[in-house]
Amino acid sequence: MKVVVMGAGIIGVSTAWYLLEQGHEVTVVDRQKDAALETSFANGAQISVSFCEPWAHPSAPLKVLKWLARDDSPLLFRPKLDPHQWRWGLSFLTQCTHAAFERNVTQLVALGRYSHESLKSLVAQTGIEYDRLERGILHFFSSTRDFDAAAAGVTLMRRHGVDRRVLSRDEVLKIEPALRSFGEHIAGGTFTASDESGDARVFTQKLARLCQQRGATFLYEHDIVGFDAAGGSVQSLRVGDQLSGERRTLKADAFVAAMGSFTAPLLRPLGIYLNIYPAKGYSATFKLKHPERASVVSMIDDTRKIAVSRLGDTIRVAGTAEMAGYDTGLESSTSRVRCQALVRRYEELFPGVADTSEPHFWAGLRPSTPNNIPYIGRSKLGNLWVNAGHGTLGWTHGAGSGRALAELMSGVQPALDFGFYGSEAGQGLRVATA
Ligand SMILES: Cc1cc2nc3c(=O)[nH]c(=O)nc-3n(C[C@H](O)[C@H](O)[C@H](O)COP(=O)(O)OP(=O)(O)OC[C@H]3O[C@@H](n4cnc5c(N)ncnc54)[C@H](O)[C@@H]3O)c2cc1C
């Protein structure tokens, strides 16, 4: 089958790889000069099968309300005159029940586990190197009340077969001694040894090269501008070549929409309404001055809801979310406050370890669904497939989402219990989000 994959982020490139594995002919289209130059560029680097709880939790509405006025809050909802944002917000509220939370976690763990297995096999098969560290993920708490509440999450994950465990302060410091100077502020932590970290951009770009070597065509610097549909299927894709200015149409047997946050607006003219809204997040990457004193275990600082990951001789600090549209700029006062908050916090945690005077700031748009469950499956147009809406976990779920979609497209049932988009179970599970 001839397949056009739209989008060369972690999701599109993983899909392309597994489509090649299934023997298909693949063309990937992206507006950037290379793969992974948008949301997959500088994320928190965590392969986080265990720490996968969605934002939509019974405690979330009150927290979001409290945070409305704070520029440096972990989750900032900036109401706009945008019906898609309001629809997303209302669906989010319907997901903030215990029953929905439990159901969503079940699916996220299933996809995470399948994805982790897929990633490990892919790495073993290809030998791709991407500053991978198989050191687990450590979640530490500065507030005793939040630490006490974390036990519920541990019980939940253990019920799902994930080996997350509770740690005393001393155990936290034993797992990551680099936290020692902050030690007196740590109430305790949780840890999952099987989670890992690595650079999503490097991985995606290397996988894209391997896809090319296996015969896939990459049309970079091509804007996807629209579709020609007739008779219940997509006939062709309209693209604009940025270099020549020419418009052309691409024909194929099947099309995969993997354009992150932009998937929703691009599919709307086809009558396909995906409840995906961008959640802007930030990262700061620092060169290390003292690599020997820097952390190697990937971690989450619960107070600030930020991830800290070691990538070679650099450190990445990433986090925060802003529901405020499609802007990725770093110039607004909110952006500056958020970026500086990352720098300040890193210095509080690890004083003098990195050169924080010249941070590399970045912002990306998490393609978020109200329950953090992505759309993976077939749209109502028979040959148009979707792989989008991976929110906070696109790197974690990348390999598995690509593999599962390629399997579905090849008539193979993926070996995981998941509500695929377009399937009966998928519709049932996503009443509030479809
Ligand atoms: C601050 C932050 C921290 C994060 N940390 C983690 C983490 O630790 N672990 C984790 O698992 N996930 C993390 N994530 C989430 C993860 O980065 C995303 O879920 C993932 O990158 C989404 O991948 P994608 O391929 O769907 O989107 P993208 O990487 O954005 O890819 C979409 C592609 O589509 C292309 N495109 C879009 N529109 C068009 C068009 N009209 N024409 C042509 N091309 C187009 C874009 O150029 C882009 O290359 C984080 C995200 C952020 C923002």
Side-chain angles (χ1 to χ4, degrees):
M1 192 161 67
K2 229 174 146 171
V3 186
V4 169
V5 176
M6 297 170 266
I10 177 62
I11 303 299
V13 173
S14 299
T15 309
W17 172 262
Y18 287 103
L19 283 168
L20 292 167
E21 291 274 283
Q22 294 282 349
H24 301 294
E25 193 185 323
V26 179
T27 300
V28 182
V29 186
D30 199 286
R31 61 186 169 197
Q32 299 292 345
K33 279 185 167 48
D34 200 345
L37 292 188
E38 296 207 2
T39 314
S40 306
F41 184 75
N43 67 20
Q46 299 188 328
I47 296 293
S48 180
V49 179
S50 158
F51 294 99
C52 66
E53 290 98 321
W55 291 331
H57 179 271
S59 65
L62 194 61
K63 279 190 192 162
V64 173
L65 267 182
K66 273 203 285 193
W67 287 336
L68 268 179
R70 265 184 49 197
D71 267 357
D72 64 344
S73 69
L75 177 58
L76 181 61
F77 192 80
R78 278 270 150 86
K80 292 175 94 76
L81 279 176
D82 174 357
H84 304 293
Q85 190 201 41
W86 283 92
R87 174 169 171 251
W88 191 98
L90 291 174
S91 293
F92 178 82
L93 288 177
T94 68
Q95 298 294 314
C96 292
T97 64
H98 286 292
F101 181 73
E102 181 80 38
R103 193 174 63 220
N104 295 333
V105 166
T106 306
Q107 290 213 69
L108 292 166
V109 172
L111 182 58
R113 199 176 269 141
Y114 181 77
S115 200
H116 202 185
E117 288 313 312
S118 306
L119 178 69
K120 285 193 259 189
S121 314
L122 196 162
V123 172
Q125 179 187 352
T126 58
I128 292 183
E129 289 179 4
Y130 53 99
D131 286 324
R132 180 184 188 194
L133 284 172
E134 295 171 89
R135 304 287 293 251
I137 294 182
L138 173 66
H139 193 154
F140 66 90
F141 298 81
S142 305
S143 134
T144 310
R145 207 178 59 183
D146 291 341
F147 174 50
D148 291 343
V154 170
T155 311
L156 172 77
M157 283 302 156
R158 294 186 83 87
R159 216 168 48 240
H160 288 286
V162 175
D163 189 20
R164 191 193 289 182
R165 57 195 175 93
V166 178
L167 304 180
S168 66
R169 174 196 298 155
D170 286 350
E171 288 169 319
V172 167
L173 297 180
K174 205 163 163 199
I175 283 176
E176 185 44 272
L179 273 169
R180 192 154 291 135
S181 67
F182 191 74
E184 66 185 82
H185 304 289
I186 294 177
T190 65
F191 181 62
T192 307
S194 52
D195 284 337
E196 50 180 276
S197 59
D199 195 323
R201 174 189 63 80
V202 173
F203 175 87
T204 308
Q205 291 179 344
K206 287 189 176 172
L207 191 61
R209 311 277 181 272
L210 290 179
C211 288
Q212 274 170 316
Q213 283 167 21
R214 289 181 72 172
T217 303
F218 279 72
L219 295 178
Y220 288 121
E221 299 177 283
H222 278 69
D223 294 308
I224 293 156
V225 287
F227 301 86
D228 299 307
S233 66
V234 171
Q235 306 295 307
S236 57
L237 177 69
R238 278 181 270 128
V239 299
D241 181 340
Q242 293 169 11
L243 297 179
S244 67
E246 279 171 20
R247 287 274 169 111
R248 50 199 277 217
T249 55
L250 302 176
K251 292 197 179 297
D253 301 307
F255 298 84
V256 177
M259 297 157 289
S261 293
F262 297 87
T263 310
L266 280 163
L267 298 197
R268 248 177 247 143
L270 292 169
I272 295 169
Y273 298 99
L274 305 175
N275 203 351
I276 300 173
Y277 194 80
K280 183 176 183 180
Y282 298 83
S283 71
T285 307
F286 312 117
K287 277 247 167 240
L288 288 170
K289 284 196 293 200
H290 299 285
E292 72 291 351
R293 279 167 42 203
S295 55
V296 283
V297 176
S298 185
M299 53 186 113
I300 300 167
D301 169 8
D302 187 76
T303 308
R304 301 298 160 94
K305 308 275 185 268
I306 55 173
V308 181
S309 292
R310 174 79 175 261
L311 296 170
D313 61 358
T314 66
I315 273 284
R316 168 89 39 85
V317 190
T320 82
E322 212 177 302
M323 311 295 292
Y326 289 81
D327 166 59
T328 53
L330 293 167
E331 301 309 319
S332 72
S333 62
T334 305
S335 297
R336 284 204 294 267
V337 167
R338 289 181 163 250
C339 287
Q340 287 310 326
L342 294 176
V343 177
R344 255 198 329 275
R345 187 59 172 176
Y346 186 79
E347 282 293 358
E348 276 166 26
L349 297 172
F350 305 102
V353 171
D355 179 1
T356 52
S357 67
E358 287 190 32
H360 186 277
F361 291 127
W362 168 84
L365 303 174
R366 298 178 188 85
S368 303
T369 62
N371 55 9
N372 214 25
I373 295 179
Y375 291 89
I376 306 171
R378 190 180 214 144
S379 77
K380 65 182 183 185
L381 297 180
N383 65 344
L384 175 62
W385 300 76
V386 178
N387 210 348
H390 291 75
T392 58
L393 290 170
W395 171 216
T396 303
H397 291 161
S401 300
R403 180 173 159 204
L405 190 73
E407 287 173 340
L408 288 171
M409 292 175 72
S410 311
V412 177
Q413 189 55 38
L416 79 159
D417 192 7
F418 184 78
F420 289 107
Y421 175 54
S423 70
E424 233 167 76
Q427 305 297 1
L429 283 163
R430 44 175 77 254
V431 180
T433 63

